[in-house]
Amino acid sequence: MMMEHRWTALVSLLALLMYFWMGLQVARARGKCGIDPPAMTGDPLLERAVRVHNNTLEWLPIFLVSLWLFAIYWNELVAAGLGVVWIVGRLIYSAGYMADPGKRSTGFLIQMLAGAVLLFGALGKIVYSLATGGI
Amino acid sequence: MMMEHRWTALVSLLALLMYFWMGLQVARARGKCGIDPPAMTGDPLLERAVRVHNNTLEWLPIFLVSLWLFAIYWNELVAAGLGVVWIVGRLIYSAGYMADPGKRSTGFLIQMLAGAVLLFGALGKIVYSLATGGI
Amino acid sequence: MMMEHRWTALVSLLALLMYFWMGLQVARARGKCGIDPPAMTGDPLLERAVRVHNNTLEWLPIFLVSLWLFAIYWNELVAAGLGVVWIVGRLIYSAGYMADPGKRSTGFLIQMLAGAVLLFGALGKIVYSLATGGI
């Protein structure tokens, strides 16, 4: 595996950097609202930042596992490209949600589509490969 | 690694599909209760669906890492079989919890046992292998 | 990959064992406070235990992915050593937070530094390798 899949690795780390930045957004919201841990509620700004961060966490296992399995069992560069779409969708989702929870849908749909193509693409390729016994 | 571990990959993706469905269960509960994001509480139905989804998220790192390390360092098909038990336990847990939080234990124990065998199996094999210097 | 990266695998499983123990800490706090699921709030002890567990979950994708990519693309033993620092930082964080949320910073900074070195180390190595076309 050494030195293979570097584009997949790069996209994974960029997604995690974006996710880390969403955690900083929670910390900033705490500062603005004056709400200390362990409280997670009490102000719409904090609650939105927490949901953006947490919803991204909720999707990370789906995204990361599907990204790598798509890259390994099918196509590295297509996987990396879909991974970039996922990251962009997540950034649009964050900007929309922080402005107004009703504006979270566009970005959410973009990242969901990218995630679904990765997941069902990897699943389809693996099932086909197991069914036909081929590679 | 190309084309190895396809059963492990298949079980991983099936577990993530089940987990995605639990996310849809949260969205359905929001619809029934009329509670919009970012609120995560306010109705027992929503709170149960959120906990089923989140508790599964909490276990996914333990499950996925242990599943793959068991498959790679010990036995692929045993790992995949335990993975199926984990998924079935999670489905029983979800059905029980949604009916009544007091009925969440059976499914929880099933998935915990499957997860523990995967984790301690992988750990034991790796420690043994490091200690003896063998493969 | 067979039998490579055993130290990385060992550290991953130890981190997950520690994380599992943090889940038990939540269950113990529930018992002491007499607060049943699906409630996640209502007593400072429970809320602290929940945050220790959940904050560790929030960091697990960053930690696990960066740990493995650092080990695969750069250096196995350095990655495993930084992983041990991360685990120790998390244990200090947990002890501090449970005593008083204001005392969570020391352990948090230790694990954040270890995580940042893993993430930016892996990222730097991969970008350099892609840019130079070398290994």
Side-chain angles (χ1 to χ4, degrees), chain A residues 1-7 9-10 12-14 16-17 19-20 37-40 53-54 57 60 64 68, chain C residues 47 51 57-59 61-62 65-66 69 72-73 97 101 104 112 119-120 122-123 126-127 129-130 134-135:
Chain A
M1 183 166 181
M2 195 67 191
M3 292 304 134
E4 282 180 67
H5 300 307
R6 284 176 294 185
W7 290 108
L10 179 62
S12 302
L13 292 169
L14 293 178
L16 291 171
L17 273 181
Y19 166 70
F20 178 72
M40 303 299 283
H53 184 239
N54 246 280
L57 171 63
L60 272 177
L64 288 170
W68 279 88
Chain C
E47 291 177 27
R51 280 308 301 154
L57 171 63
E58 288 166 16
W59 274 78
I62 296 176
V65 170
S66 302
L69 295 181
I72 291 169
Y73 293 99
Y97 206 145
R104 72 190 193 285
M112 191 169 74
L119 199 164
F120 288 104
L123 186 61
I126 289 163
V127 168
S129 155
L130 285 167
I135 55 165

Side-chain angles (χ1 to χ4, degrees), chain A residues 58-133:
Chain A
E58 290 166 15
W59 274 79
L60 272 177
I62 297 176
F63 171 67
L64 288 170
V65 170
S66 302
L67 174 77
W68 279 88
L69 295 181
F70 194 108
I72 291 169
Y73 294 100
W74 204 340
N75 186 296
E76 160 94 1
L77 290 181
V78 174
L82 287 164
V84 171
V85 174
W86 189 83
I87 293 172
V88 171
R90 278 281 147 193
L91 289 171
I92 296 171
Y93 167 79
S94 174
Y97 207 144
M98 293 305 288
D100 174 359
K103 289 183 181 164
R104 72 189 193 285
S105 305
T106 309
F108 190 83
L109 285 176
I110 293 170
Q111 67 86 36
M112 192 169 74
L113 274 174
V117 175
L118 286 170
L119 199 165
F120 288 104
L123 186 63
K125 189 69 164 67
I126 288 162
V127 167
Y128 178 82
S129 156
L130 285 168
T132 59

Side-chain angles (χ1 to χ4, degrees), chain B residues 65 69 123 126-127 130, chain C residues 5-18 60 63-64 67-68 76-88 118:
Chain B
V65 170
L69 295 182
L123 186 63
I126 288 162
V127 168
L130 285 167
Chain C
H5 300 306
R6 283 177 295 186
W7 290 107
T8 311
L10 179 63
V11 168
S12 302
L13 292 169
L14 293 178
L16 292 171
L17 273 181
M18 176 200 66
L60 273 177
F63 171 66
L64 288 169
L67 174 77
W68 279 88
E76 160 93 1
L77 290 180
V78 173
L82 287 164
V84 170
V85 174
W86 189 83
I87 293 172
V88 171
L118 286 169

Side-chain angles (χ1 to χ4, degrees), chain C residues 95-116:
Chain C
Y97 206 145
M98 292 305 286
D100 174 0
K103 290 182 181 163
R104 72 190 193 285
S105 305
T106 309
F108 190 83
L109 285 176
I110 293 171
Q111 67 87 38
M112 191 169 74
L113 273 174

Side-chain angles (χ1 to χ4, degrees), chain B residues 20-101:
Chain B
F20 179 73
W21 166 82
M22 288 171 171
L24 295 180
Q25 193 167 251
V26 173
R28 269 200 309 276
R30 281 196 185 284
K32 277 191 194 164
C33 306
I35 297 174
D36 288 329
M40 303 300 282
T41 53
D43 187 289
L45 181 68
L46 176 60
E47 292 178 26
R48 289 174 196 180
V50 165
R51 280 309 301 155
V52 165
H53 184 238
N54 246 279
N55 186 276
T56 304
L57 170 63
E58 289 166 16
W59 275 79
L60 273 177
I62 297 176
F63 171 67
L64 288 169
V65 170
S66 303
L67 175 77
W68 279 89
L69 295 182
F70 194 108
I72 291 169
Y73 293 100
W74 204 340
N75 187 297
E76 160 94 1
L77 290 180
V78 173
L82 287 164
V84 171
V85 174
W86 188 83
I87 293 172
V88 171
R90 278 282 147 192
L91 289 171
I92 296 172
Y93 167 80
S94 175
Y97 206 145
M98 293 305 287
D100 174 0

